[in-house]
Structures are given as structure tokens and as C-alpha cells.
Amino acid sequence: MSEWWRGLEDRERILLAVAGVLTALVVVLQFILMPVFEQRRSMQAELDRAADQLNHIERAYLQGRALGAVTATATREMISEDAFKAAITQSASEKGLSITRLQSGATTVGVMIEQADPRLVFFWLEDLERRIGAAIVSLSVEQASGERVRVNVELSRGAGS
């Protein structure tokens, strides 16, 4: 191989060296840099979606807070167990929370959420209290992974039930 290289003219060696450098640049660009840039774009889009969702929830929370005194007293009247569970599920999905388990007790409903943003959990609990008069009987919040938490909460239908 070295004999072949020495047999080439200077111009041919330069052309082969330039071709090798260009090939290396294309390989680095195509197989290293492009996937990294695509992953960054994807993560930025996911972050933007999450920020938009949080802003939407915060706006809805503040609007509901401003009107909350009227709706809270109006909806604290007698509510059936099925309507109570439906309201819990609907409120959780509006806040972007995914309920893992919903279990009825004699006078309470147990809810488990595996992976959640703690801020959304507290917005959700306040919404339940304000909107349907739910009372927290017990609450357990544990760190699940990163900034996510695992929540076990037991809710009763509050003073109006």
C-alpha cells in the first residue's frame, strides 16, 4: 500500500487526501451531527408543547379562581358516586394527568397517579375542591423519577354529600 502511495504523483496524493477529508466530513455530518440536531429539535418541540399546556392550565386556573366562589357553592350540592368519579377523571384529563387507578371505598374514592408534574397535581386537587367540593382524606406524594411524582390520594365528596 505504501509503495502504491509513493508511486502516485503529488497532485494525485492531494486529490485523494481531499477526497478522504470530504468523506470523513460527510460521515461526521450525516451520522453524528444530524441525529444530534434532530434530537435537539424534537426535545425543544416537546418542551414548547409542555410549556403551552402549562400556560393553558395556569390561565384556566386563574380564571376559575376568579369565578370560583360562585361555582364552588353551586356544585357542592349532593353529587352521586358515579358523577363524583367522572368529575375526578375529567378534571385530571383536563390538567394533563393520567390516572392509573381509581378505586371506590364506602365513602371515599382512591386515586393513584404514577408519573405527574407536582404543580399539576396541586392545581388538580384545588380544582376538585373548588369545582365539586372534594375533600382530601389522605395524600401521599413520592418522587418517582426526575421531577415527576407518584401520587396516592383519597377523596371524599366533601361537606355537601
Side-chain angles (χ1 to χ4, degrees):
M1 180 81 161
S2 63
E3 192 174 312
W4 171 77
W5 180 257
R6 281 181 281 173
L8 296 175
E9 294 182 22
D10 288 340
R11 185 179 68 186
E12 292 172 331
R13 286 188 206 147
I14 292 172
L15 284 175
L16 285 174
V18 168
V21 168
L22 288 176
T23 302
L25 284 174
V26 167
V27 167
V28 167
L29 180 67
Q30 184 66 33
F31 297 109
I32 297 173
L33 295 178
M34 293 302 283
V36 168
F37 292 148
E38 183 58 36
Q39 179 68 20
R40 185 177 187 283
R41 271 193 297 269
S42 169
M43 292 176 79
Q44 185 63 44
E46 185 177 334
L47 179 63
D48 291 343
R49 278 192 304 276
D52 288 344
Q53 182 182 18
L54 182 60
N55 286 336
H56 172 72
I57 290 170
E58 286 175 343
R59 275 194 309 275
Y61 167 75
L62 293 174
Q63 288 172 349
R65 192 76 197 242
L67 302 173
V70 176
T71 47
T73 56
T75 57
R76 285 182 195 227
E77 297 172 7
M78 189 66 87
I79 182 172
S80 72
E81 183 179 344
D82 289 337
F84 186 62
K85 290 192 297 190
I88 289 170
T89 305
Q90 179 184 0
S91 177
S93 66
E94 287 171 359
K95 303 291 181 277
L97 298 171
S98 178
I99 293 177
T100 309
R101 186 181 67 205
L102 186 71
Q103 187 172 3
S104 294
T107 59
T108 61
V109 173
V111 179
M112 181 177 196
I113 300 172
E114 286 292 330
Q115 296 281 329
D117 183 332
R119 295 173 296 183
L120 295 180
V121 170
F122 290 110
F123 282 143
W124 170 63
L125 291 172
E126 186 173 9
D127 180 57
L128 289 175
E129 181 182 27
R130 180 182 46 79
R131 201 179 343 172
I132 61 172
I136 299 172
V137 176
S138 68
L139 174 65
S140 168
V141 180
E142 303 170 0
Q143 185 164 0
S145 63
E147 295 182 7
R148 298 295 198 173
V149 294
R150 179 180 305 109
V151 178
N152 283 308
V153 62
E154 196 171 341
L155 301 163
S156 72
R157 287 185 269 172
S161 56

